[in-house]
Amino acid sequence: MEWFRSIPDETHHRAFLKDVLTLVLDEAVFKANRRGEPVIRWRLPQELLSLIDVQTRDQPASHEELLAAIKATIDFSVKTGHPMFINQLYSGLDPYGLAGQWVTDALNPSSYTYEVAPVFTTMEEAVLQNMRALLGYPDGRGDGIFCPGGSLANGCAMNLARFKAFPSVKTEGLHGLPRLVLFASEDAHYSIHKMAALEGLGEAAVRSVTCDSQGRMDLKALEAEIQVAKRDGVHPFMVVATAGTTVLGALDPLSAIADVCSTHGLWLHVDAAWGGGLLFSKEHRHLLAGIERADSVAWNPHKLLAVPQQCSTLLVRHEGLLKACHGRDATYLFQKDKFYDHNLDPGDKYIQCGRRVDVFKFWLMWKGKGSLGLGKHVDAIMELSRFLIEELKKRADRFKLVLETPNFVNVSFWYLPQSIRNLDPSTQIYRNKLQSVAPKIKEGMMKAGTMMLGYQPLRQWPNFFRFVTQNSGMTKQDVIFMLDEIERLGDNL
Amino acid sequence: MEWFRSIPDETHHRAFLKDVLTLVLDEAVFKANRRGEPVIRWRLPQELLSLIDVQTRDQPASHEELLAAIKATIDFSVKTGHPMFINQLYSGLDPYGLAGQWVTDALNPSSYTYEVAPVFTTMEEAVLQNMRALLGYPDGRGDGIFCPGGSLANGCAMNLARFKAFPSVKTEGLHGLPRLVLFASEDAHYSIHKMAALEGLGEAAVRSVTCDSQGRMDLKALEAEIQVAKRDGVHPFMVVATAGTTVLGALDPLSAIADVCSTHGLWLHVDAAWGGGLLFSKEHRHLLAGIERADSVAWNPHKLLAVPQQCSTLLVRHEGLLKACHGRDATYLFQKDKFYDHNLDPGDKYIQCGRRVDVFKFWLMWKGKGSLGLGKHVDAIMELSRFLIEELKKRADRFKLVLETPNFVNVSFWYLPQSIRNLDPSTQIYRNKLQSVAPKIKEGMMKAGTMMLGYQPLRQWPNFFRFVTQNSGMTKQDVIFMLDEIERLGDNL
């Protein structure tokens, strides 16, 4: 067969694919994530360009050249499965999830109709139903979709809430409607603003509700904002509560917010993109009490449950609403004269048309670990986080917690170098110094390759580290290593 | 290590992962796509449920059970890489693309910042620039993003066009603005309506422009619709031209539409999700003449170029606009005090936050085949399509073309069973009969598992087959097999 054709050929491709898989398994799966191996081999863009020829060419590269490029790509990519990658709301490299991705890739499906994806559309329905059951929707009833990320899951929820309040918006748009507003805490994810802009509401439609000292939405502030909106003559339609804020990991008081929504006839969306996985833990699921009252929930299994990138869902209480809001009945895809029940085709519930299958990796993990295993995974992460808090308290002369008693995984803290320990914390010089500490330590750890840990400022607080992991392969020894490494890198700042 | 942890362990997982890869390579990559193997083993949902236990459980399944589930998933999934999968705007299983996916999965990246995805963010910029160069933007200048599907690529283009016309829309929304309308042909993809609804414009904001007899946007009708809009007192802001319509594969007259846009000050978006790949072909790229004048172009390499699901891009002429329109400057992610140039972080150009890496599979294909190989791939598909037209003309007593001279890959045609050949085509009985032929043949081929070929009605035309492939592994013998099989299944209808 000719070399350029888009189908694998025994003669041309089997050996190449086997070589790739050997490389991937040895280098990217096992070696890369071993303790002692670097999390990152930091290179500036110009250095990277000298190591990997990223430019495309007219002529084909040889298999040897491609294998070398793959090796370099693995070498200079960040090892997000490494226990010391504690930089984002995703990490770990789940073996079952990875296997599920590999299978999905080989089958290369798109998940709009039963006819082209019978197994995967069936699994999607089963998984979404079981997630809704965990959420506490009776018998797992309701509806749901997989989304390309939590931002768009939140965006779809906003679209549904708006459509429920004003069905005419689908055909007529916002024109002629009162000005619509929604409420989210000041620590809600920035996607709420992004989606408000995308959906024609405008960022100003998001009324920011102040947080309490723990980063949770303040109920009195919410009530006050609703009153202000009514006085302004604008039309409130939705509250976005957060179950696990991005930085502090705060869990908004869902039951109390549900009461407020009920009183004012507002749609309650819970952004549990980060916190949703807690529902698998018998010990910790009480932290999400009230979530069963939500009209919709965004939940990203690729976060706390460590499903490979990307696996996001939107779960909805109201049956039929997704299709009513998003449907367009494209006759080339959703023919009504099919020989099977066209209601099996989920495609018209979605804002996308072609859609990558994100269910199988999660399904295989869920089968491989059981709900019990996923619960243990969550418990292990929570235990690690509690251990870190204790360790930080033991080192209270050098480390300072931002919140004394975080409820979820996130632990925010400052490192105080020697030069700052005796300064008065109320002075600007102290604050300026502290603001510069985390970026410098971050630079040090990246260049050493020993770990990656994120930092950011928030409100009155200068730059602080955010510990967060989804990798239950991380150990208490790793936590101690992290703290020791921060001390090593920051002591003399 | 304990079994439930989210990290691969030598003892627990290496053998399992190797077994999975062997199964995937043998069954899903090679055997599945061989001629003679079924494209689909059709099962109704209840039958499928007896073959695969899709329900999740509390207890973990064994590795043996998981391998059996993977085997069954492969067996009962549609073989989209099979030469006889000619059902959608994606097909084939490119070996380099597949290898790229497997590598990406093992590295499990998210592509918002340079620090967590240095190689991939660098490749994204290179690939997008080279795509813009192919488009004809001078030196490949401009900007671009990867999108989760063509629908959202079109949606982002609409958002950009609106923002360019009314920058206040980002913060203030549509409130207070004149009613905005855009123009797209009646055969434009249904995502234009979906996105208009999502973005608060409403489906009615899409003014449908009639097509000429070849399914191309009619220029006089476009001018007339613009005049009607102006007379209605609404505000036109955009024309969506299509380079490769979904059903007929029509290519709108881009240069002439660009003239109209220029006259009226309208943003020109070209939905080249399907047709974009033509730009790789020296022989056929003239079909997209004028595309270099577009303000934005949606182009899905996962369609004509057979990049694995999913790889969609939006290319934009205007530098800086994506960030201005979509940016939100989240301080926890895009810190301005980073030790490297924060302009290397592409995340704020996107409407998503976390984002699966879709560049590497395409990049590896482009390296592995060169621009020349991708061009040959496109040429082979176009040649196959021309061959089919000739074959259909040879069988003109039994087959009838919907369009006599399609310009692109799509070939639309009816099969005329014996019972219909002598009926008067102007009668309702003929039309009713013809309407039922394609669904019945489709049912037959699905149940036989020999092939999958799509059908749909359009305007005055009853159900007809749409031939479309992206698999350059398909041969002329396969085309003949397809026609013979239609005759075999449909002769007695």
Side-chain angles (χ1 to χ4, degrees):
Chain A
M1 199 189 66
E2 287 161 303
W3 57 276
F4 61 83
R5 299 197 187 266
S6 55
I7 196 163
D9 177 75
E10 290 281 352
T11 324
H12 284 287
H13 302 125
R14 193 185 264 271
F16 172 71
L17 289 173
K18 285 193 83 160
D19 287 346
V20 170
L21 289 174
T22 302
L23 197 57
V24 166
L25 207 55
D26 289 346
E27 297 289 325
V29 176
F30 286 104
K31 186 176 159 215
N33 299 316
R34 251 175 238 148
R35 284 171 189 84
E37 290 291 323
V39 177
I40 179 171
R41 290 181 175 87
W42 171 258
R43 295 292 185 280
L44 287 168
Q46 56 273 32
E47 296 172 312
L48 209 54
L49 292 174
S50 73
L51 293 161
I52 305 177
D53 174 21
V54 300
Q55 279 308 312
T56 55
R57 312 268 170 212
D58 282 346
Q59 297 297 331
S62 68
H63 284 182
E64 290 65 36
E65 287 168 325
L66 295 181
L67 286 166
I70 290 171
K71 176 72 165 59
T73 297
I74 294 171
D75 285 348
F76 296 102
S77 285
V78 171
K79 306 310 180 301
T80 65
H82 194 291
M84 299 314 294
F85 179 76
I86 36 188
N87 205 67
Q88 311 288 157
L89 290 183
Y90 72 96
S91 65
L93 181 64
D94 192 276
Y96 305 105
L98 177 62
Q101 288 264 50
W102 284 341
V103 173
T104 307
D105 293 340
L107 293 169
N108 197 28
S110 183
S111 200
Y112 28 42
T113 62
Y114 181 81
E115 85 183 54
V116 297
V119 181
F120 298 125
T121 53
T122 305
M123 280 178 182
E124 283 179 345
E125 289 308 310
V127 165
L128 291 169
Q129 187 185 4
N130 292 339
M131 290 176 80
R132 290 192 299 266
L134 278 170
L135 210 63
Y137 286 177
D139 301 324
R141 279 201 300 273
D143 209 341
I145 51 177
F146 284 79
C147 295
S151 296
L152 281 158
N154 286 333
C156 286
M158 288 158 67
N159 195 33
L160 289 177
R162 178 171 76 173
F163 175 74
K164 186 94 188 322
F166 297 99
S168 70
V169 76
K170 183 177 179 182
T171 50
E172 295 308 311
L174 292 165
H175 201 79
L177 293 187
R179 195 157 188 149
L180 304 179
V181 297
L182 66 154
F183 306 90
S185 92
E186 57 184 324
D187 281 4
H189 191 253
Y190 72 102
S191 59
I192 308 300
H193 281 88
K194 278 207 176 191
M195 292 298 125
L198 179 70
E199 295 181 14
L201 299 165
E203 294 172 328
V206 185
R207 302 267 169 131
S208 226
V209 181
T210 51
C211 288
D212 66 16
S213 60
Q214 303 301 298
R216 296 171 299 213
M217 184 185 280
D218 185 288
L219 282 167
K220 288 206 180 105
L222 173 61
E223 275 286 6
E225 284 295 339
I226 293 173
Q227 296 311 326
V228 169
K230 290 189 171 174
R231 209 172 54 223
D232 289 353
V234 298
H235 189 98
F237 73 106
M238 180 183 206
V239 175
V240 177
T242 310
T245 58
T246 314
V247 177
L248 298 176
L251 303 155
D252 285 347
L254 302 182
S255 284
I257 294 173
D259 289 341
V260 174
C261 287
S262 172
T263 303
H264 296 280
L266 303 176
W267 177 289
L268 173 58
H269 173 65
V270 178
D271 176 358
W274 173 213
L278 285 170
L279 294 167
F280 276 96
S281 162
K282 289 195 175 37
E283 188 182 345
H284 299 291
R285 57 169 291 133
H286 70 91
L287 291 169
L288 300 190
I291 199 167
E292 71 284 356
R293 295 174 64 190
D295 293 287
S296 59
V297 175
W299 175 0
N300 289 5
H302 75 237
K303 289 196 163 77
L304 187 55
L305 298 177
V307 176
Q309 287 284 341
Q310 190 163 40
C311 186
S312 295
T313 63
L314 177 67
L315 306 168
V316 183
R317 166 187 302 283
H318 311 274
E319 284 174 46
L321 194 65
L322 279 163
K323 203 162 190 171
C325 178
H326 292 155
R328 183 70 200 166
D329 263 343
T331 47
Y332 79 92
L333 205 50
F334 310 116
Q335 302 93 331
K336 297 291 182 265
D337 53 9
K338 283 182 173 177
F339 72 96
Y340 64 89
D341 178 4
H342 61 79
N343 290 310
L344 293 169
D345 295 344
D348 232 10
K349 294 197 291 190
Y350 285 80
I351 57 169
Q352 303 117 280
C353 179
R355 183 166 57 84
R356 205 187 128 80
V357 167
D358 288 330
V359 71
F360 189 65
K361 54 195 169 191
F362 182 27
W363 182 86
L364 202 67
M365 280 176 68
W366 201 335
K367 292 295 263 195
K369 302 188 167 194
S371 302
L372 290 173
L374 291 172
K376 278 172 184 283
H377 160 85
V378 171
D379 291 344
I381 289 168
M382 289 292 276
E383 193 187 335
L384 214 54
S385 167
R386 295 300 159 270
F387 175 77
L388 170 60
I389 295 170
E390 292 314 307
E391 280 301 303
L392 286 167
K393 286 180 178 167
K394 282 187 200 158
R395 304 184 193 205
D397 55 326
R398 292 152 284 165
F399 290 90
K400 186 171 154 48
L401 282 158
V402 176
L403 301 181
E404 288 293 318
T405 52
N407 289 317
F408 188 32
V409 176
N410 310 42
V411 180
S412 296
F413 62 90
W414 291 280
Y415 173 68
L416 311 175
Q418 292 214 28
S419 64
I420 202 179
R421 285 178 206 156
N422 297 319
L423 294 179
D424 176 357
S426 68
T427 59
Q428 194 59 42
I429 191 166
Y430 176 93
R431 292 178 55 82
N432 289 349
K433 191 111 209 214
L434 197 53
Q435 175 76 357
S436 73
V437 168
K440 281 187 191 140
I441 294 176
K442 177 70 178 266
E443 178 174 0
M445 68 178 79
M446 297 272 290
K447 289 183 172 169
T450 46
M451 63 182 187
M452 284 181 70
L453 171 67
Y455 73 87
Q456 65 288 300
L458 189 74
R459 289 193 277 284
Q460 75 276 25
W461 298 310
N463 279 325
F464 54 89
F465 288 114
R466 174 191 65 167
F467 166 87
V468 73
T469 188
Q470 306 74 25
N471 186 346
S472 51
M474 192 181 189
T475 62
K476 291 179 181 174
Q477 288 70 38
D478 293 327
V479 169
I480 289 169
F481 174 85
M482 174 187 82
L483 295 179
D484 289 348
E485 185 69 1
I486 292 173
E487 293 197 31
R488 183 181 77 80
L489 294 163
D491 190 41
N492 291 318
L493 290 178
Chain B
M1 200 189 64
E2 285 162 305
W3 57 275
F4 62 83
R5 300 197 185 266
S6 55
I7 197 163
D9 177 76
E10 290 281 351
T11 323
H12 284 287
H13 302 123
R14 192 184 266 270
F16 172 71
L17 288 173
K18 285 193 86 160
D19 287 346
V20 170
L21 289 174
T22 302
L23 196 58
V24 166
L25 207 56
D26 289 345
E27 297 289 324
V29 177
F30 285 104
K31 185 176 161 215
N33 299 317
R34 251 175 238 148
R35 284 172 188 82
E37 290 290 323
V39 177
I40 180 173
R41 291 180 174 87
W42 171 258
R43 296 292 185 279
L44 288 168
Q46 56 273 31
E47 297 172 310
L48 208 55
L49 292 175
S50 73
L51 294 160
I52 305 177
D53 174 21
V54 300
Q55 280 308 311
T56 54
R57 311 269 171 212
D58 282 345
Q59 297 296 331
S62 69
H63 283 181
E64 291 64 36
E65 287 167 325
L66 294 181
L67 286 165
I70 290 171
K71 175 73 164 60
T73 297
I74 294 171
D75 285 348
F76 295 102
S77 284
V78 171
K79 305 310 180 302
T80 64
H82 194 290
M84 298 315 292
F85 179 75
I86 36 188
N87 205 68
Q88 312 287 155
L89 291 183
Y90 72 96
S91 65
L93 180 65
D94 192 276
Y96 305 105
L98 178 62
Q101 289 264 50
W102 285 340
V103 174
T104 307
D105 294 341
L107 292 169
N108 196 30
S110 183
S111 200
Y112 27 43
T113 63
Y114 182 80
E115 83 183 54
V116 296
V119 181
F120 298 126
T121 53
T122 304
M123 280 177 182
E124 283 179 347
E125 288 308 310
V127 165
L128 291 169
Q129 187 184 4
N130 291 340
M131 291 176 79
R132 289 192 300 266
L134 278 169
L135 210 63
Y137 286 177
D139 300 324
R141 279 201 300 273
D143 210 342
I145 50 176
F146 284 78
C147 295
S151 295
L152 281 159
N154 286 332
C156 286
M158 289 159 67
N159 195 33
L160 288 178
R162 177 170 76 171
F163 174 75
K164 185 95 187 324
F166 296 99
S168 70
V169 75
K170 182 178 179 182
T171 50
E172 296 308 312
L174 292 164
H175 201 78
L177 293 187
R179 195 158 188 150
L180 304 179
V181 298
L182 66 155
F183 306 91
S185 92
E186 57 185 322
D187 281 3
H189 191 254
Y190 72 102
S191 58
I192 308 301
H193 282 89
K194 280 208 176 190
M195 292 297 125
L198 179 69
E199 296 182 12
L201 300 164
E203 294 172 330
V206 185
R207 301 269 169 129
S208 226
V209 181
T210 51
C211 287
D212 67 15
S213 61
Q214 302 301 299
R216 295 172 300 213
M217 184 185 280
D218 185 287
L219 281 168
K220 288 206 180 104
L222 173 61
E223 276 285 6
E225 284 295 338
I226 294 173
Q227 295 311 325
V228 168
K230 290 188 171 176
R231 208 172 54 223
D232 290 352
V234 298
H235 188 99
F237 72 106
M238 181 183 204
V239 176
V240 177
T242 310
T245 58
T246 314
V247 177
L248 298 176
L251 303 155
D252 285 348
L254 302 182
S255 284
I257 295 172
D259 290 341
V260 174
C261 287
S262 171
T263 304
H264 295 279
L266 302 175
W267 178 288
L268 173 58
H269 173 65
V270 178
D271 177 358
W274 173 213
L278 285 169
L279 294 167
F280 276 97
S281 162
K282 288 196 175 36
E283 188 181 344
H284 299 290
R285 58 168 291 134
H286 70 91
L287 292 169
L288 300 190
I291 199 167
E292 72 283 356
R293 295 173 64 191
D295 293 287
S296 58
V297 175
W299 175 1
N300 290 4
H302 75 236
K303 291 195 161 78
L304 187 56
L305 298 177
V307 176
Q309 290 285 339
Q310 190 165 37
C311 187
S312 295
T313 62
L314 177 68
L315 306 169
V316 183
R317 168 188 300 284
H318 310 274
E319 285 174 45
L321 194 65
L322 279 162
K323 203 161 189 170
C325 179
H326 292 155
R328 183 71 199 166
D329 264 344
T331 47
Y332 78 93
L333 206 49
F334 310 116
Q335 303 92 330
K336 297 291 182 265
D337 52 9
K338 282 182 172 176
F339 72 95
Y340 64 88
D341 178 3
H342 61 80
N343 290 309
L344 292 169
D345 296 343
D348 232 10
K349 295 198 290 191
Y350 285 80
I351 57 169
Q352 303 118 281
C353 179
R355 182 166 58 82
R356 206 187 127 79
V357 167
D358 288 330
V359 71
F360 190 65
K361 54 195 170 192
F362 182 29
W363 182 86
L364 202 68
M365 281 176 66
W366 201 336
K367 292 295 263 193
K369 302 190 166 189
S371 303
L372 290 172
L374 291 172
K376 277 171 183 283
H377 159 85
V378 171
D379 291 344
I381 288 168
M382 289 292 278
E383 194 187 334
L384 213 56
S385 167
R386 295 299 160 273
F387 175 77
L388 168 61
I389 295 170
E390 292 315 306
E391 279 301 304
L392 286 167
K393 285 180 178 167
K394 282 188 201 159
R395 305 185 193 204
D397 55 326
R398 291 153 284 164
F399 290 90
K400 187 170 155 47
L401 281 157
V402 176
L403 301 181
E404 288 293 319
T405 53
N407 290 316
F408 188 31
V409 176
N410 310 43
V411 180
S412 296
F413 62 91
W414 291 281
Y415 173 68
L416 310 174
Q418 291 212 28
S419 63
I420 201 178
R421 286 178 205 155
N422 297 320
L423 294 179
D424 176 355
S426 68
T427 58
Q428 194 59 42
I429 191 166
Y430 176 92
R431 293 177 55 81
N432 289 350
K433 190 113 207 209
L434 197 54
Q435 176 76 358
S436 73
V437 168
K440 282 187 191 138
I441 293 176
K442 177 69 179 266
E443 177 174 0
M445 68 178 81
M446 296 271 292
K447 289 182 173 170
T450 47
M451 64 181 186
M452 285 180 70
L453 172 67
Y455 74 87
Q456 65 289 300
L458 188 74
R459 289 192 277 283
Q460 75 276 26
W461 298 311
N463 279 325
F464 55 88
F465 288 114
R466 174 190 66 166
F467 167 86
V468 74
T469 188
Q470 306 74 24
N471 187 347
S472 51
M474 191 180 189
T475 63
K476 291 178 180 174
Q477 287 70 37
D478 293 327
V479 169
I480 289 169
F481 174 84
M482 174 187 81
L483 294 179
D484 290 348
E485 185 69 0
I486 291 173
E487 293 198 32
R488 184 181 76 79
L489 294 163
D491 191 39
N492 290 320
L493 289 179

